[in-house]
């Protein structure tokens, strides 16, 4: 009986780990190599642009940056990214609240008189994937 339970447990663990994927995000069009690029990964409409599921920072080389989210569960996600040119850890905005640092979202989602919507930026990842975003 112990052998059967062990085999079933190992089988379930292998199924669970098989559902984890890697997502590489390449950001191009960075205007200079100053500062860093911050990439936020979101897994729901409720948290989009509020609380990241995971986030990463990348140095900029040749006006490009790349990050890889390793071992995330397969599923639906959206990405927002920005060029933190002064490395202060936030997307700077002018007096009117308009971002003064370059930013973008997955699927080239754009907002009208505001930020992009999750429904426009979302995509599905079910295997190791690469996404390219231009600032």
């Amino acid at each position: 009986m112990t052998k059967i339970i062990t085999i079933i447990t190992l089988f379930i663990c292998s199924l669970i780990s098989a559902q984890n994927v890697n997502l590489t995000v390449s950001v191009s069009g960075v205007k200079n190599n100053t500062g860093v690029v911050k990439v936020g990964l979101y897994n729901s409409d409720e948290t989009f642009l509020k609380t990241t599921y995971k986030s990463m920072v990348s140095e900029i080389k040749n006006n490009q940056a790349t990050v890889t989210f390793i071992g995330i569960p397969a599923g639906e996600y959206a990405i927002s990214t920005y060029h933190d040119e002064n490395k202060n850890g936030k997307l700077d905005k002018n007096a009117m609240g308009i971002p003064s640092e370059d930013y973008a979202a997955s699927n080239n989602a754009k907002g009208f008189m505001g930020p992009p919507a999750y429904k426009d930026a979302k995509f599905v990842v079910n295997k190791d994937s690469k996404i390219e975003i231009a600032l």
Side-chain angles (χ1 to χ4, degrees):
M1 186 64 157
T2 304
K3 288 183 181 182
I4 293 173
I5 292 173
T6 303
I7 291 171
I8 290 172
T9 303
L10 289 173
F11 178 72
I12 290 171
C13 287
S14 70
L15 286 178
I16 291 171
S17 67
Q19 294 176 355
N20 287 343
V21 297
N22 298 332
L23 175 63
T24 300
V25 180
S26 294
V27 180
S28 62
V30 183
K31 68 181 175 184
N32 59 49
N33 293 325
T34 304
V36 294
V37 168
K38 298 192 86 174
V39 180
L41 182 67
Y42 301 87
N43 61 356
S44 73
D45 187 17
E46 294 78 30
T47 61
F48 185 58
L49 301 178
K50 295 177 187 92
T51 306
T52 57
Y53 169 64
K54 292 189 180 241
S55 63
M56 297 186 78
V57 177
S58 175
E59 291 184 4
I60 304 163
K61 294 180 182 168
N62 299 319
N63 302 83
Q64 298 180 345
T66 302
V67 299
T68 301
F69 295 98
I70 297 173
I72 61 172
E76 185 178 272
Y77 295 97
I79 292 173
S80 72
T81 184
Y82 70 95
H83 180 192
D84 188 5
E85 198 166 359
N86 58 5
K87 287 183 157 181
N88 68 349
K90 64 180 183 175
L91 177 62
D92 293 331
K93 299 176 182 174
N94 65 18
M96 294 178 54
I98 298 170
S100 57
E101 293 177 309
D102 292 337
Y103 66 95
S106 45
N107 296 333
N108 198 30
K110 305 274 185 215
F112 179 72
M113 301 294 286
Y118 179 78
K119 67 179 180 68
D120 297 329
K122 70 181 179 178
F123 58 92
V124 175
V125 177
N126 52 24
K127 62 181 180 178
D128 289 354
S129 301
K130 182 175 182 178
I131 298 237
E132 295 187 16
I133 299 176
L135 289 182

